[in-house]
Amino acid sequence: MAGLKFKHIYKVYQGGVRAVNDFNLEIKDKAFVVLVGPSGCGKSTTLRMVAGLESITSGQLFIDDVMVNDVESKNRDIAMVFQSYALYPHMTVFQNMGFGLKLRHEKPEVIKEKVNAAAEILEISDLLDRKPKELSGGQRQRVALGRAIVREPNVFLLDEPLSNLDAKLRVQMRTEITKLHEKLQTTFIYVTHDQTEAMTMGDVIVVMNKGYIQQADAPVTLFEDPANLFVATFLGSPQMNIIKSSLKKEGNKIGVVLENVESNVVWLREETVKQIVNSGIDLEKQYLFGIRPDQITIADKGVPAHVEVVEQLGDETIIYAKIEGHEKNVVVKAPLLSHIKSQDDIFLNFSNERVYLFDEESEHSLIGMPSFSKLPCEVNKNGEVKLGKQVLQFDEEYMSHLVDEAFEGTKLLTIKPEHVLLEAQEGSLPVDVKVDFIEERTNYDIVYAVVEGITPYLIFRASKERKIKKNDKLVVYLPLDNTYIYDDKENSLVAREVAYPNKAICKLSTLKDGKRQIEISKGEKLVYDELPYQDGEYQFVLKQDKVEVVFDKKTAKYLINGPKVQFVGVGGGTKRRRSKVAAHMKAVEAAKKERDLIKEQYNVQAGEILVSAPKGKFLTVSCYDEEPQKDVNYVYAQIKGFDEYVTLAVKNNFSVYKMPKFKIVVPDDGFELLPLE
Ligand code: ADP
Ligand code: MG
């Protein structure tokens, strides 16, 4: 039995592949959590980091509040079950199941007892004398599970354990594993690429894509309130319809106009309109309209469509219909409709009850429960936060993580709806709100509340028992460890590490030619034409966000062009030649993939990269960690002569994993000289 906490976990493989990025998750003791996502999204890597089979590049992993980053696999009390059962062919089922215990020098009678108990749970008691080859796929998988059970682990990790089974057996084993979880009362982390498996098995589903968590929540919540287009289309069968659309405003009303269907407007509910306005969107832009197949009905009038395929599934009918001028068919899921035939001309009615709207570029959802509430605020150096007419107070610990930029101008206080509390808790900030309206969901109500003096809503989840109503006045609490300060580009201004003030002792002197030289304690020198200070000793304060990274030539080339592929000479007989050509093609393919990844992750343009530093304007830096944000990267580094490590906010095209030692250019507004303390 154990709970797990993932804090800002990254995995960067050698060569720079970022397999897992900023993975944050709390798994409750005894939970059944499913990691789901397409192949290559980082599921197995995450699981292997939990098992201790793969090192954690940065961030922290806690099992039962103990940080286990450096705890060896065998001491983590974890059992893992793989897709390939990895049974020893020469051993019987009994020996296979007991082998781990034998290695740990358990007594034979203890082994026997534990294996028998596990066999009973899995209903394989009568198979204990057989060898793996005498078993069916399902039975083998059970033995693999049994081998994990006898170890009585605190956490069960299962990596696509059912992928090798045929469809029918898979469905059966699903229920078996769910039952097993109930019997064992242990934490399960289950990996699959199959959305149906995920939806039917997990208490919590973590949807991943390209190394990032897209959303983590209860299955029904992911279905009702997908955070983005990826989650919306990944879960649900048939898939959500996604249709290019524009918006139409008439008085207070807003409607959706499907591409090439001007005659028919889907007018939105008043509450939906408020949500759209709250997300601050441009009404002139194009959006992606989302509607699930069961929210479209066949009607006497509406959007004309032509039926291409009809699937009768017994209790329901799936209709694939073409709307003129649309690339993709619209999918309609209806109760049994026997009269609709392929090639019929029909009319579609789009309900406005459960609709979605996604930004074409960011693909974020603009309706429903947002990922974050974002409230404009101002923070001063004393930690006072002005939020509308209220003033909140950050504590010192929180303040020590804010980067310089947090204190300039209007910022955004952000919090996820599920983190807002209705009861006071230590380390939380009270905020007075008034409820504007409520949206009901299966598991809870979403409350849209107003903070006096601020336009955007503070949005939170409330249990249905609370029976919160329109116009209620209440106090909600924002727990500091889940409250962030963002800039307007969605970069968090709360660094993971303490953001020390980047201080060093320095000596300012005037050179023969009149130029001014700053000498930092251990010999690094910066030279400027003019500086508004008198010669003498000062504290040098390096600003976090004003420096620029100088790349070495090799890294610059790599970031612009990707890895270089060496051509392997093609000689020898035909067979050898063929395999060499194949190897070369494979290397080219891999390089191309890597290049696309670099493009996507760093988005580097040749012109953005500095490859040489102007004389006397740079410092040399050694880096040990980074924290990529939306478009900046917080870099934690060492510079000779500085009191503590320094925190720098550099462009996101730089990664310390590509170049751990580098120079930074310090412009003359990149620092301040303060009197010695
Ligand atoms: P999933 O289990 O979701 O299919 P993985 O965690 O296996 O994904 O892989 C995530 C990414 O990391 C992929 O791009 C994969 O190619 C890469 N990767 C996995 N293992 C390694 C490794 N040992 N070395 C380098 N890259 C790896
Ligand atoms: Mg995998």
Side-chain angles (χ1 to χ4, degrees):
M1 280 177 289
L4 289 95
K5 220 182 286 168
F6 298 76
K7 277 191 155 175
H8 302 289
I9 296 222
Y10 289 80
K11 176 67 193 185
V12 185
Y13 282 112
Q14 247 173 10
V17 177
R18 291 188 185 196
V20 176
N21 296 283
D22 200 21
F23 193 101
N24 289 294
L25 185 69
E26 215 172 318
I27 297 180
K28 293 214 173 79
D29 183 23
K30 297 181 194 158
F32 195 127
V33 174
V34 178
L35 306 185
V36 66
S39 172
C41 70
K43 307 180 295 290
S44 296
T45 302
T46 306
L47 215 57
R48 291 169 60 79
M49 286 192 285
V50 177
L53 300 172
E54 202 70 75
S55 65
I56 293 168
T57 308
S58 87
Q60 297 164 317
L61 173 66
F62 296 88
I63 300 179
D64 270 346
D65 293 326
V66 178
M67 191 174 102
V68 296
N69 288 42
D70 300 318
V71 176
E72 267 190 74
S73 180
K74 65 175 174 21
N75 299 329
R76 288 195 192 185
D77 232 343
I78 275 174
M80 190 148 168
V81 180
F82 300 92
Q83 173 183 350
S84 64
Y85 326 113
L87 301 178
Y88 300 108
H90 60 284
M91 290 185 191
T92 63
V93 168
F94 182 92
Q95 287 164 334
N96 261 295
M97 283 169 67
F99 190 61
L101 299 178
K102 204 171 153 192
L103 283 186
R104 284 200 255 160
H105 308 295
E106 283 283 10
K107 292 197 189 98
E109 51 286 12
V110 176
I111 297 181
K112 193 162 176 203
E113 193 183 310
K114 288 190 173 169
V115 170
N116 280 334
E120 205 156 301
I121 290 175
L122 295 163
E123 295 170 20
I124 50 171
S125 300
D126 51 336
L127 305 177
L128 289 174
D129 296 328
R130 293 202 198 167
K131 296 262 176 72
K133 66 171 188 294
E134 297 165 297
L135 302 176
S136 70
Q139 290 167 334
R140 278 181 215 173
Q141 190 51 270
R142 254 173 257 228
V143 177
L145 286 169
R147 198 170 41 184
I149 294 172
V150 296
R151 295 184 46 196
E152 297 171 357
N154 276 336
V155 185
F156 260 86
L157 306 177
L158 302 103
D159 195 349
E160 314 226 14
L162 306 184
S163 304
N164 282 350
L165 305 180
D166 64 50
K168 197 171 152 211
L169 201 53
R170 235 175 10 235
V171 174
Q172 188 191 331
M173 281 301 284
R174 253 189 233 158
T175 353
E176 304 252 334
I177 291 180
T178 316
K179 273 197 230 151
L180 183 65
H181 172 247
E182 272 161 34
K183 268 189 210 156
L184 296 177
Q185 295 279 312
T186 307
T187 312
F188 272 45
I189 309 181
Y190 186 101
V191 160
T192 176
H193 64 271
D194 180 339
Q195 62 101 5
T196 323
E197 215 166 280
M199 289 295 276
T200 50
M201 295 179 80
D203 311 324
V204 172
I205 298 181
V206 180
V207 182
M208 295 181 70
N209 191 30
K210 296 181 181 168
Y212 287 90
I213 294 186
Q214 301 293 311
Q215 197 174 2
D217 223 312
V220 64
T221 301
L222 296 186
F223 191 80
E224 291 178 335
D225 279 298
N228 57 37
L229 187 66
F230 181 83
V231 178
T233 51
F234 190 76
L235 302 177
S237 168
Q239 256 189 17
M240 184 188 288
N241 292 292
I242 302 295
I243 304 167
K244 264 198 194 157
S245 300
S246 50
L247 297 176
K248 182 173 184 152
K249 192 168 186 330
E250 255 179 43
N252 283 336
K253 291 198 312 182
I254 293 180
V256 175
V257 184
L258 311 184
E259 189 182 31
N260 297 323
V261 195
E262 270 75 29
S263 59
N264 240 282
V265 181
V266 184
W267 291 107
L268 300 172
R269 291 185 298 128
E270 188 189 329
E271 289 83 0
T272 313
V273 169
K274 284 186 173 181
Q275 292 165 43
I276 290 187
V277 172
N278 187 59
S279 57
I281 68 175
D282 176 358
L283 293 178
E284 300 301 314
K285 263 177 47 177
Q286 279 227 326
Y287 291 93
L288 298 171
F289 174 65
I291 184 162
R292 296 218 184 260
D294 63 346
Q295 298 292 306
I296 306 176
T297 48
I298 315 260
D300 299 334
K301 55 185 177 32
V303 178
H306 184 73
V307 178
E308 299 210 323
V309 176
V310 179
E311 285 174 6
Q312 296 290 2
L313 299 179
D315 56 345
E316 60 189 23
T317 305
I318 312 284
I319 296 157
Y320 299 83
K322 184 154 181 70
I323 297 176
E324 192 144 328
H326 284 206
E327 235 172 79
K328 278 200 319 203
N329 279 337
V330 169
V331 185
V332 181
K333 182 166 153 182
L336 195 59
L337 284 175
S338 50
H339 65 283
I340 304 280
K341 299 273 179 302
S342 141
Q343 308 310 324
D344 281 358
D345 287 310
I346 54 173
F347 292 101
L348 300 176
N349 178 45
F350 292 75
S351 158
N352 67 0
E353 245 343 279
R354 278 205 285 128
V355 295
Y356 301 88
L357 204 64
F358 303 96
D359 187 273
E360 265 195 315
E361 211 176 302
S362 72
E363 302 191 345
H364 288 322
S365 170
L366 304 167
I367 297 180
M369 191 167 54
S371 306
F372 286 99
S373 302
K374 293 181 192 153
L375 310 175
C377 70
E378 277 169 32
V379 188
N380 69 19
K381 291 262 180 190
N382 299 326
E384 289 162 358
V385 189
K386 240 181 88 193
L387 189 68
K389 299 193 169 166
Q390 303 174 52
V391 178
L392 319 176
Q393 179 69 48
F394 283 154
D395 61 22
E396 263 175 50
E397 156 70 14
Y398 194 88
M399 291 292 290
S400 72
H401 290 265
L402 290 182
V403 300
D404 288 348
E405 218 208 310
F407 306 105
E408 291 156 20
T410 303
K411 299 298 167 209
L412 295 168
L413 185 102
T414 67
I415 183 154
K416 292 186 174 180
E418 62 269 34
H419 286 147
V420 177
L421 304 171
L422 289 164
E423 324 296 337
Q425 198 185 66
E426 211 185 300
S428 66
L429 307 171
V431 179
D432 296 318
V433 298
K434 186 176 169 199
V435 177
D436 189 33
F437 67 98
I438 287 162
E439 290 273 80
E440 289 188 29
R441 294 293 191 260
T442 306
N443 287 350
Y444 45 77
D445 291 335
I446 310 176
V447 183
Y448 294 78
V450 177
V451 179
E452 203 183 345
I454 292 181
T455 316
Y457 291 116
L458 175 57
I459 300 161
F460 55 93
R461 297 183 187 187
S463 84
K464 296 198 159 279
E465 289 90 69
R466 292 288 302 227
K467 297 207 168 61
I468 291 179
K469 296 182 308 296
K470 202 178 167 80
N471 296 330
D472 280 357
K473 284 185 180 168
L474 39 128
V475 185
V476 296
Y477 299 86
L478 314 183
L480 276 176
D481 51 355
N482 284 314
T483 303
Y484 289 90
I485 300 290
Y486 273 21
D487 68 10
D488 56 358
K489 294 194 192 90
E490 294 192 16
N491 297 299
S492 168
L493 303 174
V494 188
R496 184 184 65 218
E497 310 263 336
V498 171
Y500 288 110
N502 295 356
K503 279 185 187 169
I505 305 286
C506 75
K507 199 169 131 195
L508 176 62
S509 54
T510 307
L511 300 175
K512 273 192 204 132
D513 56 4
K515 289 195 176 170
R516 314 292 304 282
Q517 174 179 286
I518 297 169
E519 187 174 355
I520 291 169
S521 48
K522 299 277 169 359
E524 291 250 36
K525 286 170 190 159
L526 294 165
V527 180
Y528 298 90
D529 290 339
E530 281 172 40
L531 289 175
Y533 307 93
Q534 293 183 349
D535 285 358
E537 287 205 16
Y538 293 92
Q539 285 206 65
F540 181 88
V541 180
L542 181 63
K543 294 205 177 140
Q544 290 165 353
D545 54 350
K546 290 282 193 309
V547 304
E548 228 174 317
V549 171
V550 183
F551 292 83
D552 60 37
K553 287 219 172 64
K554 194 172 137 221
T555 309
K557 229 175 185 163
Y558 182 82
L559 287 178
I560 296 164
N561 301 326
K564 200 173 152 188
V565 182
Q566 291 233 312
F567 190 73
V568 198
V570 183
T574 328
K575 204 167 167 192
R576 238 184 98 202
R577 183 177 309 168
R578 232 185 262 141
S579 84
K580 273 197 169 174
V581 170
H584 178 71
M585 295 311 284
K586 217 170 143 188
V588 171
E589 238 355 270
K592 208 171 140 236
K593 230 173 130 184
E594 172 91 14
R595 187 160 57 229
D596 289 345
L597 205 78
I598 292 168
K599 270 215 181 113
E600 197 178 299
Q601 288 185 341
Y602 304 115
N603 194 18
V604 175
Q605 313 279 331
E608 286 179 0
I609 289 191
L610 274 187
V611 285
S612 69
K615 230 176 124 193
K617 295 273 190 294
F618 66 84
L619 296 173
T620 306
V621 177
S622 307
C623 217
Y624 66 91
D625 208 351
E626 67 182 356
E627 190 183 349
Q629 299 291 328
K630 188 93 173 206
D631 65 358
V632 301
N633 189 4
Y634 294 141
V635 161
Y636 305 108
Q638 239 167 358
I639 304 178
K640 255 199 201 156
F642 278 73
D643 297 349
E644 304 278 353
Y645 62 80
V646 300
T647 306
L648 302 173
V650 300
K651 271 197 211 136
N652 215 351
N653 62 10
F654 172 77
S655 165
V656 308
Y657 294 105
K658 288 271 179 267
M659 209 175 77
K661 207 169 163 152
F662 55 95
K663 293 179 191 142
I664 48 171
V665 174
V666 184
D668 54 10
D669 65 344
F671 61 90
E672 254 184 303
L673 299 186
L674 300 179
L676 289 180
E677 272 166 359

